[in-house]
Each structure stands twice: as structure tokens, then as C-alpha cells.
Amino acid sequence: MLYSSTRGNEKSVSFEDVLLKGLADDGGLYVPDTLPFLNFEKIKKLRNLEYYQLVHKITKYFVQPIISSSDYLKICKKTYENFSKEKLISITDLERNEFLLNLYHGPTFAFKDFALQLLGNIYDYILKKKKINLTVIGATSGDTGSAAISGCCKSEYVNIFILFPNKKVSDIQRKQMTTINKKNVFNIAVKGNFDDCQNIVKSLFNRNKKNSEINLAAVNSINWVRIMGQIVYYFWSYLRCAKNSEQINFCVPTGNFGNVYAGYIAKKMGLPIKKLFVASNSNDVLTRFFATGVMQKFQTIKTISPSMDIQISSNFERLLYDYIKDEKKNVSNFFRELSINGKFNISKKLLKKILMFFSGGKLSDKMTKNMIKNLYENYGIIVDPHTAVGIGVGRALSKKQEKTIYLATAHYGKFINTINESLNRKNQLPLALKKLNDKKEKFNVFENDIQKIEQFIFKNI
């Protein structure tokens, strides 16, 4: 398997280079040159596999020939051993054709554990083999940071730096990052929003590629392994909710477009997905795009679903690349325009093609709280605000006779204040989250200043 950059200047890149670089030298994102295709007879045979075996079967193509099939199976098995002993992944039935895919049974109670535990173990395998150290850097709007730290901090070959917007993640999300007492973990609170943090990360990569002073790798969903690790639960849930080879919908609350893009890859690999519903909060850059064909960034709004408080959805570049590569257009022109003018637009013809598989919608904070209350009163379940956004949008976009799977992306305990306000009652935190309140936090606060943050990173590697 070889990879190329979405911006056209890098081709035939190995999995090892994709893993260790994260972001391409031309500023683009890596995508595989080809995708394996599984016909439905092959997909059907996957149903009774253990989850780690399913991960191996579906994603082994992406790591070859760098990691042997037998070694990769061991990595996959190790990856999911520290998830909940009761269940690794589960489904809750809502209405007749509605299903909730629960993705919060990992060590940090968020869907990102599925990919970041895998990424951490692949890093460790490759770094041990090459006997090199790696500086891992990432930006988080909430859950990526703690999942990345949990996945990567166990490796003696890794130093990890996580940037998050100061006072714009939930208390629990922050404490999950800042109470990890390890010498190779550094948390940086930036006085700005998530997009500022993400811009700093990309700028650090662009600076480092000129000097190559350190081995720098990305842990955000710009890293292909993040996408790769998230493809699998689309297959797992489909096999438990669909009959025969019927087409079903998935609804995904998303900010950076990585989780829903993984669903798109699953579809291209042969999974019978009819439509992907893209759910946003008031930061509705994706909703506006699907309505108009214009990608335009506005000022980020602080909401009760902070992981979606984003105006630049990085992984959308991968989707756009896939749709225009046959037309010989250049993705870099679109994103240069976005950088200079704050927006770009695509043709009506291209938008029509994209809308064959995608629909977008948004939910306000008030509607989100109402959905949390509604779900508790009608089904006796408590969902986090991001999941509530997904269900609210999905119900508005789907047809009753069609099956829809909603992705439950985090445990409600990570947003306990919002939950208590929505339900007008005090809910208990899971013990693992409750213990965070007794732990000492350690993080550094910086202005939105790339030079000072860069100096801090170089001083601590």
C-alpha cells in the first residue's frame, strides 16, 4: 500500500513515512492510492470475529508491507485489552429502525480511543524497530488530547505535546489530560480557539520540514492511522443492525470531519451505506457547505458540545480530493483560497455529486438540551451533548422506513454540568472520572504565539 498527498506534490509514500510524518511536506493530507474492496459475501463472514480480529481483517491492507500480518494481529489484540472488561463496544436500540452505537467504553470514555490506542501501539512497534525517538504533537477541541496521551504516553520513545483552547474544553476533558503525571507528556493551553491550536500544529510541521530538526509526527485526525482505526466500527455495527445486504444510514456528530470520513472510506470499501448524515452545532461550517457549496469560516462560537467548536474541518480536504482527482483539479488551489479569502466554493455539479452520499444539519444548544431530556424521558438513557446533536440532526434528515445508526461519541460524564442542567437532576460520574477531581493538574498557558510555543517544545524534547 502506497500513499499520496491531497495537494499533489508527494506520491508513492510508504505507510511508515505516512505514520511518522502525519502531514505531508506540501501541507496536504495523505490518502491511500488504492482501497481494498470487500464484496458482501466477504463482509458477511466477518460477523463472528472478535473486535481485534475485525480490525486486523479490515485494516491490515493499509500497513503492508511495513508490518507483517502476524505482528499486526498482535498489535490489534494489545490495542483493545484496556477497554472496559464488560464491553468493548455496544449497541442500544431506540425506535424500530434507530440504533445507538456506543463508542465510549475505552480508557478515556470517547470514540477516539478506538484509533488512538491503535496509533500508540503502532508508533511503539515502529520506533522500537528503528530505534528512534519521536515528538508527537496534536491539537484538541476536547477528546483527542486525552485519548492521544493515553495511547502514546506508554512508549519510552515518544514525547507528546497536546494543545487545547484555554477554558474552552470541559473540566473533565481538561483533567483527563492534565492529571497524567508522566515526564513525556506536556499539555499546552492556548489563549484562543481550536482552529488557532490546529493552525499552530500545522505551522510547526511546515517550519520543521525546512530544518528537519526533530522527528515530528501528528496525532490529530490528519494522521491516516486515525481514520484507519475508525473505519472498523462502521462494519461492526452494520453487521449487527442490517439484514442481508440492505443499505442503511449513519449519523455522525463531527467537527474535524475525521469520524464521518472514516464512514465514507468504509462505504468505498464495500459496506452498504446509503447516506452519511453530518451533524454540527452552531459552528455550522459543514451544514452551510452542504446547503450552498461554499466553504466559509466564521468566528468560532463556544457551545455545550465543545468538540465540534471548529470552523476548519481538516479532513474535508481528503473528501474533496477524492471527488475532484479524476477531473484533474488541484485541492491546493481551494485551500489557498480558504487561507487568503476565508472561503472557497465548488461547482453545482460537484456539490450534487457529494450530496448523493452526504447530508448536513445542525442543532442549537437549546435544542441539544431538549434532545438530552427527551431521550432520557422516552428511553431512560443519558447521552452526551455531541451524541444528542447527532440524534437530533439524524431524525430530521432520515426517513422512518430507513435504518439509521447514530454514533454515540463520548460518555455523558465528560459533560456532567450540561447533563445536570438538561435533566434538572444530579447525575453520578463514573468512578474513573470522579477520581480526577482528587488529582493534581499540570499544564502551561500560552498566548496564541507560535514562536513561544515552539521554544517550549524544543526546550522539553
Side-chain angles (χ1 to χ4, degrees), residues 54-154:
L54 185 64
V55 175
H56 176 261
K57 281 282 186 186
I58 291 172
T59 64
K60 63 183 179 181
Y61 312 96
F62 298 112
V63 305
Q64 293 171 346
I66 304 302
I67 307 176
S68 70
S69 182
S70 58
D71 281 354
Y72 188 55
L73 182 62
K74 291 174 188 173
I75 289 171
C76 293
K77 190 171 191 300
K78 180 183 178 184
T79 290
Y80 301 99
E81 287 176 343
N82 62 343
F83 277 57
S84 170
K85 290 181 173 57
E86 295 173 12
K87 54 186 77 172
L88 189 155
I89 184 171
S90 64
I91 287 174
T92 302
D93 289 359
L94 295 176
E95 295 295 338
R96 183 182 168 205
N97 286 325
E98 291 185 326
F99 308 90
L100 195 59
L101 174 59
N102 301 309
L103 299 172
Y104 48 73
H105 299 300
T108 71
F109 297 84
F111 78 95
K112 295 182 181 181
D113 288 324
F114 282 89
L116 282 162
Q117 291 291 315
L118 180 64
L119 176 60
N121 286 323
I122 293 175
Y123 271 150
D124 196 49
Y125 175 88
I126 296 292
L127 297 175
K128 276 179 182 174
K129 204 173 179 181
K130 292 176 70 70
K131 293 183 172 57
I132 60 171
N133 294 320
L134 191 67
T135 298
V136 173
I137 186 165
T140 184
S141 56
D143 292 326
T144 293
S146 57
I149 291 167
S150 174
C152 298
C153 73
K154 296 181 284 292

Side-chain angles (χ1 to χ4, degrees), residues 305-317:
S305 46
S307 298
M308 297 189 291
D309 291 352
I310 295 172
Q311 286 291 333
I312 301 175
S313 301
S314 287
N315 281 286
F316 192 80
E317 179 169 337

